[in-house]
């Protein structure tokens, strides 16, 4: 329990729901929609630590924030994306998630400003007791409720802080230093000299967006990333909507985009030299003659060892061609009062420095799990089918793909959880727990070389060397594994005596109204 925070206790039975969802972002709203569609009558509540729907898409407010994959795959399988933009801005995505919640009445089931800090499983009653810190009334206090199944949809980004390396001399800099995760609403960069430190998805988004108003924007990187330009509008999708019913047009476009992205990933894995060549040629065509492509856009690693950076309609390259932006590849020696001095001896002047240097990861929003009084050490557990944990009953989570749209995996996980819950209901089971195979070798949870992943892997569960313990990064294979395979493999089901279960306490509908931000 957190120190200095009161726990609200009562002699009355705790409020109980069938499923408790943690997180009201893209995954959490999707999970609720799947429950309502596939298991009508299932009671659920969503606990959200912040004050609004949207998760990552509500948190990040930096200029140009947008999807880094197409919306026909980032959108929900059950709710077509109908806007023209395939690469959508953050506000449009946020509204898409909010509209989904409003249309299904899901927004009435959300409790904002509830950060889950602990969840205790009791095998005797087959229930989780979930403890959350509630801060919407100006004071921090803890509240509890129980559930039969705990479903965490909080992603793996740490929301309260991003990652910033220690740079020498920052105290001397007379300008402003900003991390994109905490973008200040009052930041005026019009006519200013801006340095964006970083080369990932955030940096390649910020540079062209800020270049529209800034005097000049410099992207300062230690090493290059792969940058690929794709059309911001999917003309085929728009054409299909004119001749096919909306749902069918969406399904066809979604299937096409899955096939294309899967093909690019497989090409990168099987023929990396060819993939490098094709990406380089695409970059070279969009940059001025004589540009040092191999200095600024030739990574040392193979494509998809880290995520490819997507720029819609080549906006980054256009800003470079027009002289509004530039790329510098070097190491930072120190900040100065007027900018940054590099290891090469070169200096860059700046009024504003943006540290697009990465994210911090945190497993399951930082909550502590416990099973029958024993705290769960996540690194000692093994991921089951990329959605449950060995030895942890009635618990599932959503972690999306690193090589494709997050929601492709989220939809499959939600479908699987609904199948599992239906099997338990029909069989009269109260609990299910993946039983670990001791012969399966351990591997890192995510096989991905991005710095933000490597910094935090020791805090996450392991994955196994073979099915069903291996976390596949392949949507087409997961369609078979998660949508069609039995929910009983390597799973132990059990029942509890009915008279041992505490009675439910139903809460009036008004008590489930969300606290407005």
């Amino acid at each position: 329990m957190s120190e200095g925070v009161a726990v609200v206790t009562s002699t009355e039975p705790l409020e109980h729901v069938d499923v408790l969802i943690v997180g009201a972002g893209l995954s959490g709203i999707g999970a609720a929609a799947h429950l309502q569609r596939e298991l009508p009558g299932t009671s659920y509540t969503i606990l959200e630590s912040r004050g609004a729907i949207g998760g990552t898409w509500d948190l990040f407010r930096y200029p140009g924030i947008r999807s880094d994959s197409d919306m026909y795959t980032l959108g929900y399988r059950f709710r077509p994306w109908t806007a023209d933009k395939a690469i959508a801005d953050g506000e449009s995505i946020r509204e898409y998630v909010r509209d989904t919640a409003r249309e299904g009445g899901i927004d009435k089931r959300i409790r904002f400003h509830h950060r889950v800090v602990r969840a205790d499983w009791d095998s005797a009653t087959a229930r989780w007791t979930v403890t959350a810190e509630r801060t919407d009334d100006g004071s921090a206090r803890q509240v509890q409720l129980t559930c039969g199944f705990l479903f965490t949809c909080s992603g793996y980004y740490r929301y309260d802080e991003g990652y910033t390396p220690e740079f020498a001399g920052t105290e001397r800099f007379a300008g402003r230093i900003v991390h994109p995760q905490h973008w200040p609403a009052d930041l005026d960069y019009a006519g200013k000299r801006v340095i964006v430190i970083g080369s990932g998805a955030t940096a390649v988004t910020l540079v062209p967006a800020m270049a529209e108003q800034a005097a000049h924007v410099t992207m300062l990187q230690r090493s290059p990333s792969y940058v690929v330009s794709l059309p911001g509008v999917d003309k085929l999708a728009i054409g299909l909507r004119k001749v096919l019913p909306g749902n069918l047009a969406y399904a066809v476009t979604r299937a096409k985009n899955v096939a294309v992205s899967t093909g690019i990933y497989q090409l990168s894995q099987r023929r990396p030299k060819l993939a490098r060549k094709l990406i380089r040629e695409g970059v070279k065509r969009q940059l001025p003659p004589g540009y040092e492509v191999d200095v600024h856009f030739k990574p040392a690693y193979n494509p998809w060892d880290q995520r490819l950076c997507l720029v819609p309609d080549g906006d980054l390259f256009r800003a470079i061609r027009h002289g509004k932006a530039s790329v510098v590849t070097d190491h930072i020696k120190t900040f100065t009062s007027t900018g940054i001095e590099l290891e090469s001896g070169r200096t860059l002047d700046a009024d504003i420095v943006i540290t697009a240097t990465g994210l911090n990861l945190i497993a399951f929003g930082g909550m502590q799990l416990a099973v029958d009084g024993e705290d769960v050490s996540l690194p000692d557990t093994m991921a089951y089918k990329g959605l449950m944990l060995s030895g942890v009953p009635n618990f599932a989570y959503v972690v999306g793909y690193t090589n494709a749209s997050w929601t492709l995996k989220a939809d499959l996980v939600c479908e699987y959880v609904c199948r599992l819950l239906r099997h338990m209901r029909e069989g009269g089971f109260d609990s299910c727990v993946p039983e670990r195979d001791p012969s399966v070798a351990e591997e890192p949870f995510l096989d991905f070389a991005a710095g933000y992943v490597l910094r935090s892997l020791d805090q996450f569960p392991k994955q196994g060397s073979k099915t069903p313990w291996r976390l596949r990064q392949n949507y087409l294979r997961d369609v078979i594994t998660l949508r069609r395979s039995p929910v009983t493999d390597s799973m132990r089901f059990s029942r509890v005596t009915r008279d041992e279960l505490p009675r439910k306490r139903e809460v009036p509908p008004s008590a489930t109204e969300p606290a407005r931000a």
Side-chain angles (χ1 to χ4, degrees), residues 254-401:
R254 187 177 172 92
K256 182 263 294 183
N257 289 358
V258 166
V260 169
S261 63
T262 301
I264 293 172
Y265 178 77
Q266 292 299 325
L267 175 67
S268 300
Q269 294 293 294
R270 299 177 187 222
R271 300 192 63 186
K273 289 184 179 179
L274 176 59
R276 289 173 70 106
K277 180 181 179 182
L278 293 174
I279 294 172
R280 183 185 184 280
E281 289 177 352
V283 171
K284 184 178 179 180
R285 282 196 301 269
Q286 299 183 76
L287 290 170
Y291 189 90
E292 295 180 308
V293 175
D294 291 340
V295 174
H296 304 305
F297 290 97
K298 185 181 178 181
Y301 55 88
N302 286 328
W304 275 120
D305 285 353
Q306 297 184 31
R307 193 175 179 95
L308 302 184
C309 294
L310 172 64
V311 292
D313 300 317
D315 59 2
L316 173 66
F317 305 121
R318 184 168 59 251
I320 294 172
R321 287 198 310 271
H322 293 170
K324 295 289 292 178
S326 57
V327 180
V328 174
T329 304
D330 207 331
H331 286 68
I332 295 173
K333 181 178 181 181
T334 184
F335 275 65
T336 68
S337 61
T338 59
I340 295 176
E341 180 182 347
L342 305 176
E343 293 285 358
S344 64
R346 182 179 177 182
T347 59
L348 301 174
D349 291 334
D351 303 299
I352 300 170
V353 174
I354 311 298
T355 55
T357 45
L359 306 158
N360 285 322
L361 302 191
I362 188 167
F364 312 135
M367 77 169 74
Q368 175 63 59
L369 299 173
V371 175
D372 293 329
E374 295 290 329
D375 284 358
V376 174
S377 171
L378 291 180
D380 294 334
T381 65
M382 182 172 284
Y384 171 82
K385 296 186 179 180
L387 57 88
M388 298 181 75
L389 297 178
S390 63
V392 182
N394 291 26
F395 175 83
Y397 60 88
V398 172
V399 169
Y401 294 116

Side-chain angles (χ1 to χ4, degrees), residues 28 120 146 209 298 302 429 484 514:
D120 292 88
T146 65
K298 185 181 178 181
N302 286 328
F429 299 112
R484 305 298 179 193

Side-chain angles (χ1 to χ4, degrees), residues 59-236:
L59 173 69
F60 290 96
R61 299 298 183 101
Y62 58 80
I65 174 67
R66 52 172 170 74
S67 59
D68 62 350
S69 52
D70 72 278
M71 287 304 301
Y72 300 99
T73 55
L74 187 63
Y76 299 117
R77 181 180 178 222
F78 58 83
R79 189 173 191 270
W81 174 259
T82 58
D84 287 343
K85 286 184 179 180
I87 310 300
D89 59 89
E91 183 177 356
S92 297
I93 301 171
R94 190 163 59 249
E95 284 306 308
Y96 172 80
V97 178
R98 289 177 177 174
D99 288 346
T100 303
R102 281 193 295 265
E103 290 174 8
I106 296 168
D107 57 341
K108 300 297 190 295
R109 307 287 191 95
I110 304 171
R111 305 197 185 169
F112 296 103
H113 303 289
H114 281 65
R115 184 175 71 87
V116 176
V117 295
R118 187 176 180 87
D120 292 88
W121 170 261
D122 176 43
S123 294
T125 58
R127 290 189 173 184
W128 286 100
T129 298
V130 178
T131 304
E133 288 184 352
R134 183 174 179 178
T135 59
D136 56 331
D137 58 359
S139 62
R141 59 194 179 101
Q142 290 190 338
V143 295
Q144 292 183 324
L145 66 162
T146 65
C147 64
F149 197 95
L150 181 59
F151 196 2
T152 65
C153 301
S154 52
Y156 48 44
Y157 294 149
R158 182 168 178 171
Y159 277 17
D160 60 342
E161 64 177 23
Y163 174 72
T164 303
E166 290 189 12
F167 295 117
T170 53
E171 73 283 354
R172 296 200 301 266
F173 182 56
R176 197 163 180 180
I177 301 174
V178 174
H179 192 286
Q181 188 165 323
H182 306 286
W183 195 268
D186 64 345
L187 184 64
D188 179 13
Y189 55 87
K192 304 289 181 62
R193 299 163 299 174
V194 179
I195 295 175
V196 177
I197 303 174
S199 61
T202 302
V204 303
T205 297
L206 274 167
V207 171
M210 298 185 75
E212 295 177 4
Q213 297 182 34
H216 188 83
V217 182
T218 301
M219 186 169 84
L220 174 59
Q221 58 182 15
R222 289 186 306 173
S223 58
S225 297
Y226 287 105
V227 182
V228 177
S229 175
L230 288 179
V233 174
D234 190 325
K235 293 182 179 179
L236 177 61

Side-chain angles (χ1 to χ4, degrees), residues 439-490:
S439 69
V440 177
E442 292 184 348
E443 296 184 0
F445 183 68
L446 293 173
D447 182 17
F448 202 51
Y452 68 89
V453 171
L454 298 178
R455 285 194 300 270
S456 307
L457 270 180
D458 60 343
Q459 304 169 27
F460 281 74
K462 302 294 190 299
Q463 67 164 316
S465 57
K466 61 182 180 181
T467 304
W469 305 99
R470 186 160 184 78
L471 181 64
R472 301 289 183 185
Q473 294 292 335
N474 187 314
Y475 174 73
L476 298 179
R477 293 185 68 171
D478 279 347
V479 166
I480 298 173
T481 302
L482 300 184
R483 192 174 288 166
R484 305 298 179 193
S485 68
V487 297
T488 55
D489 51 332
S490 300

